[in-house]
Every structure is written in structure tokens, then in C-alpha cells.
Amino acid sequence: MQGSGSRIQDFISVVLCRAHLAKFFSRSELTAIIIGYHGKEIIRNQMKKTALFFLLTVSVLFPQSNQGVITGTVIDATSKQPMPFANVFVVETGSGAATDLDGKFSITRLEPGSYRIRVSAVGYTTVTKTDISVSNAKPTSVNFELMPSVIELEGVTVTSDYFSRSLTEINSVTYFGYEEIRRAPGGFEDVVRALSILPGVAVAEAGRNDLIVRGGAPSENLYLVDGFEVPNINHFGNQGATGGPLSFINLDFVDETSFATGGFPVMYGDKLSSVLQIKLREGRNDRAGGKATISASQFGLNLETPVTSNSSLLFSARRSYLDFIFKAAGFGFVPEYYDVLGKYSWNIDKTSKLSYLFVSAFDNVRYFNDTEDQRFDNSRVLGSDQIQYLTGLSYRKLFSNGFFDVLLSRNFTDFNTSQRDSLLNPIFLNESLEAENKLKAEAVIKFGKKTELNIGGDIKLIKFKADIKLSSFTTTFGDVLPLDSASVAQNFLKGGLFANYTYMLTERFTANAGVRLDYFDEIETKQYISPRFALSYMFSPLFNVNFSAGVYRQAPSYIWLASFPQNKALKSIRTDQYILGFDYRLREDALLKVEGYYKDYLDYPASLVRPYLVLANTGAGFSGSEDNFSSFGLEPLSSEGYGYARGIEFSIQKKLSDIRAYGIMSFTLGEAKFTARDGVARTGTYDQTVIFNLSGGYKFNEAWEMSMKFRLATAKPRTPFNADGSQTVALYNTVRSDNPHALDLRVDKRWFFEKLTLITYLDVQNVYNNTKTGSVRWNPREQKAELNSSIGILPSIGVSLEF
């Protein structure tokens, strides 16, 4: 669903809030809460009554017992070989176990709660994982990958490593576990939204998941789910970009994530700015179980079960309840969505593993045009019905000094996008289909402790169809888009080869270098080579200096190639990246990172009709007529755009440990400018000069936890409106509104029972009621510019029952 901007998102949030609260309060009390009178006192009294009744009832039916179990596997981080006889123990209790010949372990009879698990082995770095939640409902699975240890200097001791590190991804990488994402205030338990607190990540628009990484466009991000590439993991996603209102990846099945904001190695191609890897866990192997959830925007059911002694199955189905609420509220349009996820894992033997993954999302927007006001409101909405899915089969085979992976997958997205005027005449119609069939193979070979080689390649067969109609459209800048209609049906071929060599030159000095070849047969220049390298020097076990440089390429979006044949002359977009930084261990559970980056953009598509427009400034938020259809490339384009993004980032991250506080603070000072065909360097649309984030919490005990998030950023640049609603090129991206900022608070409460766990939370966004969003739109009915304002303070309640 694209189009009416932050007001729609704010309304969605409000009605979600009402739906949650209606379960606990009378109609008059609910009205008072929404308009902000005696809501706090009502919430306090009713929650006391509800909690007391629930505790008395459930405590009698399901008494608590100590049946918590932690299971897992310890493997070598490079070769993926199991590590027998590694020591695994629970920091809080001192209990533990040793891994068996298959690298597996099990620790039993734990009280429900949160633990730290520490693993050590001779010749390897000791690793601690924190925020491991144990309950009586099901065993908790925790897997470890250990890196070879390096030298220990006299007088300097590192007890354990709380922060993951990879030899091939030296800088600009952050790892998050499941619990760190789940409890993020204002995150709606969304994998993508939780990343907004990281340095260099800007929020394009409130209520959306458009990742703006170090000044890059939202089309520049790569998503990988269990190693499978997914074009967009969001409901109602923007075509040709990677954003949307809400992720359709079920967080309950996420094991951990890694997010690289730059400098990633040659194994990842066809994207310029970032790589988000989501690793899903396997299903439980003791018995069948599940989880029922009501969250801030949807309800759903998870199921998981062993299939045989060495195989398991995960499945989830979720549905939005926005359509029920919108319909009852008399709104002019009704968005609805579903998503499903299934994963089957089969350990064939000790060296072979096969898994199958299916993820799908179904999005639909229905319009009600019964009144003039509804027709006017809907005329400002670009609606998009979508069906998308990923289906994939992966095979892993271990050998004596490494492993190889083979992945076969299919991505499919069907877009049915439309916008109509207040008389219901079509403005824009777009029926597009994008189907990608991909085969990928990769091998990792380890030559002793100091050397690692990654080699691989992929081939992608693509089917693309588009049937586009655009009524004679004049932009707010006075440009007439020349496209009337376009119909294409084509098959493309993409491919890539890569090799990456990592070598520990000394015990202090690590280097890796690689080269990548990318091929796309639909553009004139079909082949591109991208070399990259990275260096890391360890001054001490507490202090590392890192540097990386490389060439990154990204093929033009399929929709950009559809409108005019001459667009096939577009080149693959290029950015040259340089990153220098250091990380310093303040204590074993706290890490300071400082990085400076420079990105030099070349060959970006620029409009031949709008000489001021480069497509690096498009793709986020709700597109459509109010965005002059800029992101679709519905005009002749050439690769004449260029620009740069540069900045410096500071962050301090504290993991949960014996000090029961955790959090991350980040500060980014950056600049992004792009030049189109007219030769004028203009501030990038997603330039936010200053971004400050502070997110953290405190765990009072195993039942209660409180967290907060504060964000302050420079407002995005925008172009002011003239008195008649037009805009002037000379003023393009020259003004900014008030800087957006907000404080979110969250309280979590857990109840542990025999074979059941109940998790509830109260999440209050925008606590001090700042309604300024920094965005402006033109109201053609009232003939004036209007400031988009948020709804202000917004509470929501979530409940999940695990069994």
C-alpha cells in the first residue's frame, strides 16, 4: 500500500491501539484514553485487575516447575565442522556440559529465566551468548561458531567475547539475537525496524521499513534469509526498491541477524549499500508445540514439531486485522495482508544437511468510494495488491577442511498497482510480474588456522512482464512525462562469479582480498568486475584498527528498463567505498566503534526529461502522483548521475551481563549529494546530517524488564511548494522542517508455568507527544501546503502464549 504518507501510518497505529485496548476497557474509558484525559489511571487500575485475575487462574492450573533445557551445537566458524569436547556452561549457575563427538550439548533442570552461555575450547576464542531465554514450554536452542584464538599479550586478559566477529567481514557489521530484536521499543517485533538504531541508518519516513544506509537509496539493500536472496521482505513493498510498512519474516523463527552497512566482501553482489542476513532456527526436536500471538498489527499461530529423529518442521501463518478495524471505522480504503512461513530441516548424516524454505506474503487494498470525501482521499493513494513468495532448497556438505553449499530458489512477485482521481478515472495502472529462478553454489576451504578461500557463483533466469498505463501526467515541476503506455514480456539472464582469499599475515594482521564478476544480458554493457579488499590490525586483544576498500555494482531495476527501449543503454550503477575505523573493548560486555566512510557514486540513472532528477533520490516512502512517480523510471534515462556520501559514526554497545543493563548508543554525522544531468550538485533526498540514537533497558528480574529508545535526526531536505502547488527546480531539496525526535518506552512481563510461557508487553511510542514529522504535502482541495503530523503518544499491547 503506497500513497497517503505518514497520516495513513498514524491512523493505522491509532486503530491498532484502540483494538488492543478495547479488550480491557469500556467504551467510555477507551474514548478517554484515546483523547488523553484520565487514561493513565484507567490503564493502571484495569491492568491490576486483569493481571491479578489472570495470575490467580493460571497459577492454579499451571504451577511452575524447573524443566528448562538448553541444547545446541558448537562448530568451527570457518569449516562448519563440529567441535567435540568443547566446554559449555551457564554463567549464572555454574552448571554445564561438554559437547559430544557431533559437537552437541544439553543442559537440563534450569529455572525459567534469562541466562548467559559461555563456550570454550583449546585453540579457540571463548564466546559468550547473552539474553538466552529459558522456559518450561520448550527447549531453548543455542548454537555457537568459534573462531581460532589469537595471541594474548602480557597483562591483558579477555575473559570472553560477547561480540561476534568474522574474518571475511572485518568492519561495519552488527549482530543481533532474537531477544534483542523482540524487545526493541517501538519495533513491533519487526526484524528490519530494529535496525534503525544502528549508526549510519536513517529513517526515511515514520512507520516504514525503508533502509537508508549511509546516504544510499532504499533500492541498494540486499536481504538474505537462510542464504536465499529475497528482493523485498516487506508487505506492500515498493517495486524496484526494498522498503515497505512491515516485514513478513516471522521473528519467532529468527535465530540471529547480521547487518553490514558497508565494506562487505565479494560473496555478496548486485547491491551497493548493505547486506541483512537473517538466519532462521530449526524446529524443536522433543515434541510438537507452538505459539499463539496477538501483536501490534496482526495475530498468528506458530507450529513446530520433529518429523523424524533427525528432521524437524516449522510453520507459521499470520493475518493483519487492519481490514476489520478500517472497515468498522468507515475508512475509504481497507488494507489487508497475510503471510506464511514454513521450513523443513533434515540432517541426512553427520556431514550432510538438506533444508527447504517457503515464505509468502499476500497483500490487498480494497477501496470504498461511497462519498466525495472518500473519493478525494483515495485519489491520493497509490494502492498495490501483491503476491510474493520465496521457495528454496539448500544442501550443505561438510568435508575435512571446509564445506560447500548448493542453493536452488525461486522468487516471485506479482504487482497490481493503481491510482485513480476523484472521478475514478485511472491516473496510473501497472500490472507487473517479476520471477527469478536462481542456482547458487559456494565452497569454503580452510588451509590451517591462517588461511581461508571462498569461491562460488550463481546463475539467475528471470521472467519479467509489465503492462503500464499513465494518463498524461504533469509533475509539480511542470515536466510532462512522455509515457502513455508500455507493455513488455521479456526473459533475462543474470550471473555472478566470485573468489575471496583470507590470510592471517601475522598473529596480529589479517587481510582478505577478492574479486567479483557480474553479468546481466539485458543492458548493453553486460559484464562488470568488482575488486575488494580489507585489512585488520590487532594492537591488543582489546583494540583493532580496520580498513576496507572496494568497487560495488548494482544492475538497473527491471521496471526502469520497461518504459523506453533506450533505457537498456543504462550501465550498472557503481560505488567505490572506503571505510576506516577501530573498535575498542571497554569491558568484555561493552564495545566502542568509530568508523569513517566515503562512497563515490557513478553511473546512476538520471532522467532525460527532468534534468534535475537522479534516481538515487527516489524509492522510499509512499510513491505515486505526490512523488511525481519518480521511482518507477517512467521516462528516458541515462547513466549520467553521480554523487557521494560521506560521514563518521560513533557507537557504544553494551550486552546484558552481570550488570543487568543493556543498550546501544550511536551518533552519525554525514552528508550526501547527487548531481543529475543539469550538472548541479544537490543535497540528497535522504541526507540527514545528524542522527542520534539511544536504546537500552534494564532487566529487574526474570519476570520484569523495561526498555527505552530515543531518536533525534536532522529533517530530510524537501522542495517547498509555490502558492499554486507547483515546485521550482532552483529550490529542489533546499529547505528542511523541524527535526524529528521521539521517545519510546516499553515494559515486558513474563509468566512461567509448567509447559506454558506467557509474554506480555506495553509499548508506548512518542511518550512526550511530539507530532512534528518534518514532511509536507500539497492539499489540492484547500490549495495549500499542509504539514504532516503524527498522532502523538501511542500505546500498544502485545500478548503471546507459548506451548
Side-chain angles (χ1 to χ4, degrees):
M1 177 182 57
Q2 307 168 1
S4 59
S6 62
R7 284 190 169 183
I8 293 176
Q9 290 300 313
D10 294 333
F11 184 83
I12 291 173
S13 299
V14 171
V15 293
L16 289 177
C17 170
R18 286 179 176 170
H20 287 307
L21 296 179
K23 302 167 190 172
F24 300 95
F25 311 113
S26 68
R27 185 182 185 92
S28 60
E29 290 172 333
L30 179 57
T31 303
I33 292 169
I34 295 297
I35 63 177
Y37 290 121
H38 60 288
K40 291 182 179 179
E41 188 63 30
I42 295 171
I43 291 175
R44 187 182 299 114
N45 293 334
Q46 292 287 356
M47 289 189 71
K48 285 180 180 178
K49 297 175 185 178
T50 305
L52 179 60
F53 173 77
F54 182 84
L55 283 174
L56 290 174
T57 303
V58 180
S59 297
V60 172
L61 294 176
F62 304 102
Q64 179 176 327
S65 61
N66 297 336
Q67 299 177 357
V69 177
I70 297 177
T71 63
T73 305
V74 181
I75 63 174
D76 182 286
T78 302
S79 68
K80 310 302 179 186
Q81 293 286 339
M83 295 181 57
F85 313 118
N87 297 311
V88 185
F89 76 98
V90 181
V91 176
E92 285 74 11
T93 67
S95 59
T99 57
D100 61 17
L101 293 176
D102 298 324
K104 298 180 179 180
F105 67 90
S106 178
I107 303 172
T108 61
R109 301 189 65 81
L110 294 170
E111 292 186 14
S114 180
Y115 294 96
R116 287 171 290 159
I117 310 300
R118 184 164 293 165
V119 176
S120 61
V122 176
Y124 287 83
T125 300
T126 299
V127 172
T128 299
K129 286 195 175 183
T130 186
D131 277 322
I132 308 301
S133 294
V134 174
S135 72
N136 294 324
K138 69 171 186 176
T140 299
S141 178
V142 188
N143 299 312
F144 290 83
E145 298 188 5
L146 302 190
M147 298 285 296
S149 61
V150 293
I151 60 171
E152 293 187 6
L153 301 183
E154 183 178 352
V156 179
T157 301
V158 179
T159 305
S160 177
D161 195 347
Y162 279 69
F163 299 91
S164 299
R165 189 175 178 88
S166 169
L167 289 176
T168 57
E169 296 181 74
I170 286 177
N171 51 17
S172 303
V173 181
T174 303
Y175 297 84
F176 280 135
Y178 160 78
E179 187 64 19
E180 292 174 297
I181 300 172
R182 185 200 67 80
R183 68 186 177 206
F188 292 128
E189 301 187 359
D190 188 302
V191 175
V192 180
R193 197 162 299 190
L195 303 175
S196 64
I197 62 173
L198 295 179
V201 180
V203 176
E205 189 170 314
R208 286 188 56 90
N209 284 346
D210 301 297
L211 285 178
I212 308 299
V213 180
R214 290 179 171 174
S219 59
E220 298 175 11
N221 308 302
L222 174 63
Y223 297 133
L224 297 172
V225 181
D226 269 4
F228 297 108
E229 179 183 348
V230 185
N232 195 331
I233 61 173
N234 292 289
H235 287 286
F236 299 104
N238 289 6
Q239 188 173 5
T242 60
L246 186 71
S247 169
F248 56 73
I249 301 298
N250 189 338
L251 176 63
D252 291 328
F253 294 158
V254 173
D255 184 16
E256 66 177 4
T257 66
S258 69
F259 187 53
T261 55
F264 43 90
V266 294
M267 290 81 82
Y268 312 110
D270 206 21
K271 293 296 178 183
L272 302 176
S273 285
S274 74
V275 178
L276 172 60
Q277 298 189 68
I278 300 174
K279 181 180 178 182
L280 304 179
R281 62 178 177 86
E282 297 181 2
R284 58 192 298 176
N285 56 17
D286 61 327
R287 64 173 177 85
K291 184 178 182 180
T293 301
I294 299 175
S295 66
S297 58
Q298 61 203 1
F299 59 88
L301 179 67
N302 303 339
L303 298 173
E304 52 184 305
T305 182
V307 179
T308 65
S309 60
N310 58 350
S311 65
S312 64
L313 178 67
L314 292 171
F315 177 79
S316 76
R318 303 186 298 179
R319 188 195 196 283
S320 160
Y321 48 74
L322 295 181
D323 53 319
F324 301 130
I325 302 167
F326 275 46
K327 189 185 301 181
F331 217 57
F333 68 94
V334 176
E336 60 183 21
Y337 66 80
Y338 305 78
D339 59 56
V340 296
L341 186 153
K343 179 180 178 180
Y344 173 75
S345 302
W346 177 28
N347 295 305
I348 302 172
D349 53 39
K350 293 182 179 180
T351 63
S352 303
K353 180 178 180 180
L354 185 72
S355 66
Y356 171 75
L357 178 66
F358 179 80
V359 186
S360 185
F362 307 89
D363 307 326
N364 183 56
V365 179
R366 286 182 290 161
Y367 295 96
F368 299 97
N369 293 302
D370 301 324
T371 68
E372 183 180 349
D373 286 342
Q374 287 179 329
R375 290 190 291 273
F376 170 74
D377 290 338
N378 290 339
S379 71
R380 309 173 78 184
V381 175
L382 180 68
S384 182
D385 297 342
Q386 298 177 19
I387 299 174
Q388 53 185 320
Y389 67 79
L390 158 72
T391 180
L393 193 66
S394 67
Y395 174 76
R396 170 167 288 183
K397 177 68 175 179
L398 304 182
F399 47 86
S400 59
N401 60 333
F403 67 94
F404 69 84
D405 290 334
V406 179
L407 297 92
L408 178 64
S409 64
R410 175 178 171 84
N411 277 290
F412 175 91
T413 308
D414 185 359
F415 298 94
N416 188 349
T417 307
S418 65
Q419 184 172 2
R420 298 177 181 272
D421 63 22
S422 58
L423 298 178
L424 304 184
N425 297 313
I427 301 173
F428 177 63
L429 301 175
N430 173 23
E431 295 183 9
S432 296
L433 181 149
E434 299 179 5
E436 300 178 338
N437 302 296
K438 182 176 181 179
L439 175 65
K440 179 181 179 180
E442 178 180 2
V444 177
I445 306 170
K446 185 177 179 181
F447 303 100
K449 286 189 176 183
K450 293 187 175 182
T451 307
E452 174 184 335
L453 176 66
N454 296 62
I455 55 173
D458 62 77
I459 186 169
K460 189 183 295 185
L461 303 177
I462 303 155
K463 181 179 181 179
F464 176 73
K465 290 183 178 181
D467 188 2
I468 303 170
K469 294 180 175 60
L470 180 68
S471 298
S472 180
F473 184 81
T474 302
T475 72
T476 54
F477 293 91
D479 315 290
V480 178
L481 298 187
L483 182 70
D484 178 65
S485 65
S487 183
V488 297
Q490 297 173 299
N491 295 319
F492 307 148
L493 177 66
K494 272 187 176 182
L497 296 171
F498 64 84
N500 191 82
Y501 184 73
T502 303
Y503 184 64
M504 295 182 66
L505 301 172
T506 69
E507 291 179 317
R508 296 174 180 268
F509 194 20
T510 302
N512 73 65
V515 63
R516 181 177 184 90
L517 172 67
D518 286 293
Y519 175 86
F520 184 28
D521 72 346
E522 190 60 17
I523 56 179
E524 288 185 0
T525 305
K526 303 182 185 329
Q527 302 174 17
Y528 293 91
I529 295 177
S530 304
R532 305 169 195 173
F533 75 94
L535 306 171
S536 179
Y537 187 80
M538 184 187 67
F539 285 88
S540 80
L542 303 178
F543 181 62
N544 295 275
V545 174
N546 312 303
F547 174 77
S548 67
V551 177
Y552 297 79
R553 290 282 190 174
Q554 180 173 329
S557 298
Y558 306 141
I559 190 68
W560 297 350
L561 303 175
S563 55
F564 288 89
Q566 65 200 77
N567 290 355
K568 295 182 180 181
L570 290 173
K571 300 178 181 178
S572 185
I573 308 167
R574 172 173 175 166
T575 179
D576 300 337
Q577 296 189 26
Y578 309 91
I579 304 170
L580 176 64
F582 70 85
D583 56 80
Y584 180 73
R585 193 71 52 82
L586 301 173
R587 38 177 285 146
E588 67 176 4
D589 61 348
L591 183 67
L592 166 68
K593 294 181 71 172
V594 178
E595 288 188 346
Y597 65 88
Y598 186 87
K599 298 164 69 174
D600 187 19
Y601 282 92
L602 300 167
D603 300 330
Y604 228 114
S607 171
L608 297 178
V609 176
R610 296 179 265 186
Y612 54 89
L613 177 65
V614 57
L615 268 61
N617 289 328
T618 69
F622 296 98
S623 307
S625 61
E626 294 189 349
D627 185 46
N628 293 318
F629 299 104
S630 299
S631 65
F632 288 97
L634 305 176
E635 55 210 289
L637 303 170
S638 67
S639 295
E640 298 180 70
Y642 60 93
Y644 68 84
R646 60 188 179 187
I648 186 168
E649 302 167 350
F650 304 83
S651 68
I652 298 176
Q653 186 176 8
K654 163 73 171 63
K655 294 280 190 175
L656 184 66
S657 63
D658 54 323
I659 299 176
R660 300 182 69 84
Y662 57 85
I664 182 170
M665 179 181 71
S666 65
F667 176 82
T668 304
L669 182 65
E671 179 187 39
K673 287 195 173 184
F674 291 94
T675 303
R677 295 185 62 253
D678 62 3
V680 179
R682 297 181 176 89
T683 301
T685 297
Y686 308 119
D687 174 272
Q688 291 183 300
T689 308
V690 173
I691 304 172
F692 175 77
N693 290 290
L694 177 62
S695 179
Y698 190 83
K699 217 171 174 60
F700 297 97
N701 52 44
E702 303 310 329
W704 288 96
E705 181 176 355
M706 185 172 183
S707 54
M708 59 78 67
K709 179 178 71 177
F710 175 75
R711 181 179 182 87
L712 169 67
T714 305
K716 293 188 306 176
R718 61 179 180 84
T719 306
F721 288 98
N722 300 321
D724 59 355
S726 64
Q727 293 176 295
T728 304
V729 171
L731 299 178
Y732 188 90
N733 282 353
T734 57
V735 299
R736 300 179 192 256
S737 301
D738 294 335
N739 297 331
H741 52 87
L743 173 67
D744 303 333
L745 296 178
R746 175 173 169 136
V747 177
D748 286 70
K749 175 68 172 74
R750 295 173 182 262
W751 284 273
F752 301 103
F753 309 102
E754 185 178 11
K755 298 184 180 181
L756 286 178
T757 300
L758 178 72
I759 303 174
T760 61
Y761 67 82
L762 172 64
D763 192 317
V764 184
Q765 297 185 49
N766 201 358
V767 171
Y768 54 79
N769 202 38
N770 177 33
T771 61
K772 298 177 180 178
T773 65
S775 61
V776 176
R777 67 195 308 215
W778 180 258
N779 187 323
R781 175 182 281 181
E782 298 183 9
Q783 286 294 299
K784 68 176 183 179
E786 54 188 21
L787 181 68
N788 283 332
S789 60
S790 71
I791 194 61
I793 186 169
L794 176 63
S796 63
I797 297 172
V799 180
S800 62
L801 181 66
E802 191 171 61
F803 54 91

